[in-house]
Amino acid sequence: MKQAIVVRADLGMGMGKVAAQASHASLRAFEYADDRAQRAWKQGGQKKIVLKANSERELYELNEEAKAAGLPSAVIEDAGHTQVEPGTPTALAIGPAPEADVDAITGDLSLF
Amino acid sequence: MKQAIVVRADLGMGMGKVAAQASHASLRAFEYADDRAQRAWKQGGQKKIVLKANSERELYELNEEAKAAGLPSAVIEDAGHTQVEPGTPTALAIGPAPEADVDAITGDLSLF
């Protein structure tokens, strides 16, 4: 089991902002997963990987692919108090879900 | 309601690693919070802030202070697959809890 967190690299967010958006996405997608997936992922040490997207469009497309595949996923739109405009999509998380299912969607992305 | 995520800045972790450790800590501390705190925090938009610690000792001391104050908190020790030695404490999250309670412990730390 694995969770992929995809953060936009094109917004120039600082390190703390990236970490906050990633955390937000991670928890939101986790809550969309069913109990069994949640448990299996936690027992395996909450494996997660942080990857890069380069546009708003890419983030939404990945989210659509995840939803079409039946995987828990969530896009975070920032409240915009700092660094980015309100409503800007900043990060996405897919999973926890079986690794192969997550990799089928995010396997081509670079590590953040 | 607020959650403070404190990440060690002295380990030289890259941006993706920082985001992963922060996400890990955030979810762990969230799970230690009671239902009411969880709900209140989510309704308020999951307010979180990412702060800097500069040593292992600082991380553990903050965790002790949080526990002594009765706040949900969790220290993450990295499995050490990449960048740091196995078992290295990398990040801490405190809350969700009332802002004033979190600030009383983390208010002197710098933003990451």
Side-chain angles (χ1 to χ4, degrees):
Chain A
M1 300 294 284
K2 176 180 183 174
Q3 183 181 64
I5 304 171
V6 185
V7 183
R8 283 178 65 187
D10 61 309
L11 293 172
M13 295 184 287
M15 211 149 172
K17 182 85 179 174
V18 165
Q21 300 299 309
S23 302
H24 211 112
S26 176
L27 177 59
R28 191 79 65 83
F30 172 78
E31 293 194 304
Y32 288 142
D34 61 29
D35 286 355
R36 197 165 148 179
Q38 289 184 350
R39 259 201 312 277
W41 181 58
K42 286 194 284 187
Q43 280 165 3
Q46 285 195 32
K47 185 169 180 183
K48 54 173 78 76
I49 186 166
V50 183
L51 303 166
K52 242 183 237 193
N54 292 304
S55 69
E56 173 173 334
R57 183 175 165 178
E58 193 180 356
L59 212 61
Y60 283 128
E61 283 176 354
L62 292 163
N63 189 45
E64 289 308 311
E65 285 181 54
K67 291 199 179 309
L71 308 185
S73 73
V75 171
I76 297 304
E77 286 156 4
D78 192 63
H81 301 301
T82 56
Q83 296 189 29
V84 301
E85 289 299 306
T88 304
T90 53
L92 159 78
I94 301 174
E99 287 210 42
D101 295 349
V102 175
D103 290 347
I105 295 169
T106 61
D108 291 339
L109 304 177
S110 305
L111 286 174
F112 203 111
Chain B
M1 301 293 284
K2 175 181 185 174
Q3 184 181 63
I5 304 171
V6 185
V7 182
R8 283 178 64 187
D10 61 311
L11 294 171
M13 295 184 287
M15 210 149 171
K17 182 85 181 174
V18 165
Q21 301 298 311
S23 302
H24 211 112
S26 176
L27 178 58
R28 191 78 66 82
F30 172 77
E31 293 194 305
Y32 288 141
D34 62 29
D35 286 355
R36 197 166 148 178
Q38 290 184 349
R39 258 201 314 276
W41 182 59
K42 287 194 283 186
Q43 280 165 2
Q46 284 195 34
K47 185 169 182 183
K48 54 173 79 75
I49 187 167
V50 182
L51 303 166
K52 242 182 239 194
N54 291 305
S55 68
E56 173 173 333
R57 182 174 165 179
E58 191 179 357
L59 213 61
Y60 283 128
E61 283 176 353
L62 291 163
N63 189 44
E64 290 308 311
E65 285 181 53
K67 291 200 180 308
L71 307 185
S73 72
V75 170
I76 296 303
E77 285 156 4
D78 193 61
H81 300 302
T82 55
Q83 297 189 30
V84 301
E85 289 299 306
T88 305
T90 54
L92 158 78
I94 301 174
E99 288 209 41
D101 295 349
V102 175
D103 290 347
I105 295 170
T106 61
D108 289 339
L109 304 177
S110 305
L111 286 174
F112 204 110

